[in-house]
Amino acid sequence: MNDYQTPVPADLPERIQHYIDGESVDSAEGGTFEVLNPVTNETYIHAAAGTKADVDLAVAAARRAFETGPWREMLPRERSRVLHRIADLVEGRGDRLAELESFDSGLPITQALGQARRAAENFRFFADLIVAQADDVYKVPGRQVNYVSRKPIGVAGLITPWNTPFMLESWKLAPALAAGNSVVLKPAEFTPLSASLWAGIFAEAGLPTGVFNLVNGLGEQAGDALVKHPDVPLISFTGESSTGQTIFANAAPALKGLSMELGGKSPAVVFADADLEAAINATVFGVFSLNGERCTAGSRILVERSIYDEFVERYAAQAKRVKIGFPHERETEVGALVHPEHFEKVMSYIEIGKGEARLVAGGGRPEGFPTGNFVAPTVFADVPSDARIFQEEIFGPVVAITPFDSEEEALELANNTKYGLAAYIWTNDLKRSHNFAQSVQAGMVWLNSNNVRDLRTPFGGVKASGLGHEGGYRSLDFYTDQQAVHINLGEVHNPVFGKAD
């Protein structure tokens, strides 16, 4: 037993179950898996371990609800009302959600508190969008009218990650449900606790039985069965790129629709004319918030050489002041990593980095935290572009800083990884900022800004960072089939084959 304990949330369930066809159920084969407290690495609850049998039951329920239930036939306004009720319930349970999320994932409580607001806003956004949506019409006056009709596709398979799990689940659930689909959610096995809230929220909001189903379990079992199921025509996945490759291969024989937001190794490029204090504050937050476990983290900082030494010195000093603490403490800025498996991965990269670059802050377990998954905010300087800590996603509180001498070199360094999710550019030169943004290989670019999302814009990456985009109408595009209907208004102009003499 450790010398310290974090407060255990009150009224935890005895175990975490699946939710299939309106009922909380154990696994058909009776299997469970352990869920660990990231501060102590002790098992605090067991969750139902889903297998193909559980996925089959969930998909059957979802398909039955889609084909015979009222959800897909409801007017957009009627579905919108349910989604707004869901948003109200999520927002009203924000404190409870944050408590569970922080305890389960190691996320600092102050950062977890924002997740309920963001999750609620996702549902509000798509509740409004589904009512405001207008289908396209194309006219040829006097001859033809063509219109596009959107139709829900069926059962959507949603596979979500363990970083900010509840919010990222909402990011998929809201548009899938808004469009009229039924869903089967497979949350990450490291963090299943907050996902168990969805069943009660949806039932109270009036979502019809069977429209939402949840199967817990390992990716290799429950996730794999969901991807391969013949009655699941589309899969939305967020996670690491190697898992995305496996999903791509397994979904290919059935030609399923895929939306995949994958890994990142995003550059933050700081030019000499930038607001240095703003750039340092943003890049410190950008890699150390959410414990560094964020796909859009600016984990490679490229700095123009004339300000490089000053930047490194100030950045390292600020990183050393980042408050490491227990997730439940309000002053904590970096808590515990999610799982000992991930902790070992991050620590192994830190050891690799010590042989590749100059360590200027952190570098291991922080003082006062002899156990648990705590990693000190770690900064490496003078990182060469062929270093593993420059090229590979670490997904923890570790940053690599590299100098550049010209705009051309900065662009070459920024694009010199297999990833292409996000990029951050700091400069007061308007022409350069826009030209650089156009040339950098990234699905999303922020100019003189931290990662601030507008839900109307596309979210996704290029190269190994993803396939497809979601956000705004692009989400509705993914979760619907678009059918073109052509209407003749004039004389029929057909070539006549086999005409009688």
Side-chain angles (χ1 to χ4, degrees):
M1 194 68 128
N2 290 284
D3 294 333
Y4 52 81
Q5 292 284 348
T6 51
V8 177
D11 302 320
L12 284 181
E14 293 183 3
R15 64 193 186 282
I16 296 175
Q17 297 177 286
H18 308 311
Y19 185 75
I20 299 174
D21 205 17
E23 300 287 340
S24 295
V25 296
D26 293 324
S27 289
E29 299 176 7
T32 64
F33 62 92
E34 297 178 337
V35 185
L36 305 184
N37 176 342
V39 169
T40 66
N41 284 332
E42 295 169 352
T43 301
Y44 78 89
I45 202 168
H46 287 79
T51 63
K52 182 178 182 299
D54 303 294
V55 170
D56 286 347
L57 290 171
V59 173
R63 185 177 181 184
R64 188 163 54 249
F66 180 76
E67 293 179 346
T68 65
W71 184 246
R72 70 167 179 166
E73 301 296 338
M74 284 185 181
L75 293 174
R77 175 62 71 189
E78 294 174 323
R79 289 202 300 270
S80 176
R81 289 192 184 102
V82 175
L83 296 179
H84 274 296
R85 286 198 293 270
I86 292 169
D88 291 339
L89 291 166
V90 168
E91 209 162 51
R93 297 175 190 182
D95 288 346
R96 174 65 170 172
L97 166 63
E99 182 184 33
L100 297 181
E101 199 88 306
S102 178
F103 179 76
D104 196 31
S105 71
L107 185 68
I109 187 67
T110 52
Q111 296 169 43
L113 283 166
Q115 301 308 308
R117 292 192 299 273
R118 291 188 62 188
E121 180 56 29
N122 285 335
F123 274 92
R124 294 196 198 287
F125 177 83
F126 286 104
D128 292 338
L129 192 65
I130 197 68
V131 174
Q133 173 189 304
D135 291 323
D136 296 325
V137 177
Y138 306 91
K139 300 177 182 178
V140 182
R143 298 181 60 184
Q144 192 175 29
V145 171
N146 316 284
Y147 68 89
V148 178
S149 175
R150 293 177 185 267
K151 300 189 293 185
I153 296 174
V155 180
L158 312 178
I159 303 175
T160 52
W162 45 256
N163 59 320
T164 61
F166 191 86
M167 191 280 292
L168 288 175
E169 288 155 10
S170 75
W171 179 236
K172 300 180 186 299
L173 286 165
L177 295 173
N181 298 286
S182 297
V183 302
V184 177
L185 170 66
K186 207 298 282 184
E189 56 265 33
F190 285 175
T191 54
L193 185 59
S194 62
S196 63
L197 295 175
W198 286 118
I201 289 170
F202 288 147
E204 189 173 339
L207 190 71
T209 300
V211 172
F212 168 76
N213 303 271
L214 183 153
V215 177
N216 292 293
L218 307 182
E220 298 86 349
Q221 296 170 8
D224 187 63
L226 185 59
V227 169
K228 292 177 178 176
H229 200 290
D231 291 333
V232 179
L234 73 170
I235 297 288
S236 177
F237 169 76
T238 298
E240 63 179 3
S241 299
S242 58
T243 306
Q245 290 175 313
T246 301
I247 290 173
F248 190 96
N250 288 338
L255 300 175
K256 294 179 185 253
L258 290 177
S259 176
M260 297 197 290
E261 192 262 287
L262 306 176
K265 192 71 176 178
S266 300
V269 185
V270 183
F271 288 94
D273 67 339
D275 181 331
L276 196 55
E277 183 173 359
I280 290 171
N281 287 336
T283 50
V284 167
F285 178 83
V287 76
F288 298 132
S289 59
L290 306 183
N291 297 341
E293 297 165 326
R294 58 186 305 167
C295 54
T296 55
S299 55
R300 293 183 298 135
I301 305 178
L302 313 176
V303 184
E304 193 162 5
R305 195 175 299 275
S306 62
I307 60 167
Y308 180 77
D309 290 340
E310 180 186 358
F311 184 95
V312 170
E313 181 180 355
R314 291 176 59 179
Y315 192 95
Q318 191 154 328
K320 292 173 183 177
R321 295 193 298 269
V322 171
K323 174 64 176 173
I324 307 160
F326 298 120
H328 70 281
E329 295 175 340
R330 294 273 172 168
E331 62 271 22
T332 295
E333 294 171 329
V334 170
L337 299 189
V338 68
H339 192 275
E341 205 176 281
H342 186 58
F343 171 82
E344 291 300 332
K345 173 193 171 184
V346 173
M347 291 295 280
S348 72
Y349 271 109
I350 290 174
E351 291 307 308
I352 290 168
K354 290 175 181 177
E356 293 181 322
R358 176 166 59 100
L359 179 68
V360 294
R365 183 182 289 280
E367 289 185 20
F369 298 89
T371 57
N373 306 321
F374 294 93
V375 176
T378 297
V379 182
F380 289 102
D382 311 339
V383 181
S385 62
D386 61 351
R388 288 186 64 186
I389 61 169
F390 185 97
Q391 291 289 336
E392 299 174 19
E393 184 178 42
I394 300 172
F395 217 66
V398 182
V399 66
I401 307 180
T402 301
F404 66 84
D405 290 300
S406 67
E407 189 174 327
E408 292 73 22
E409 184 185 8
L411 182 62
E412 182 181 354
L413 288 168
N415 291 339
N416 185 20
T417 72
K418 68 178 182 178
Y419 298 104
L421 187 57
Y424 307 88
I425 302 166
W426 291 88
T427 178
N428 282 319
D429 185 325
L430 184 63
K431 183 186 295 185
R432 174 165 59 196
S433 67
H434 288 289
N435 286 334
F436 201 98
Q438 294 293 317
S439 300
V440 72
Q441 294 169 356
M444 300 168 287
V445 181
W446 281 269
L447 304 178
N448 297 320
S449 169
N450 191 25
N451 183 335
V452 180
R453 285 290 323 287
D454 184 323
L455 294 179
R456 296 170 295 181
T457 60
F459 187 98
V462 298
K463 300 194 290 188
S465 287
L467 176 71
H469 290 78
E470 294 187 40
Y473 280 114
R474 291 161 188 82
S475 291
L476 296 184
D477 286 343
F478 176 69
Y479 289 108
T480 56
D481 282 327
Q482 297 180 56
Q483 181 185 63
V485 179
H486 306 276
I487 306 162
N488 182 52
L489 299 178
E491 181 183 349
V492 178
H493 296 282
N494 285 334
V496 179
F497 281 20
K499 186 176 180 179
D501 295 334

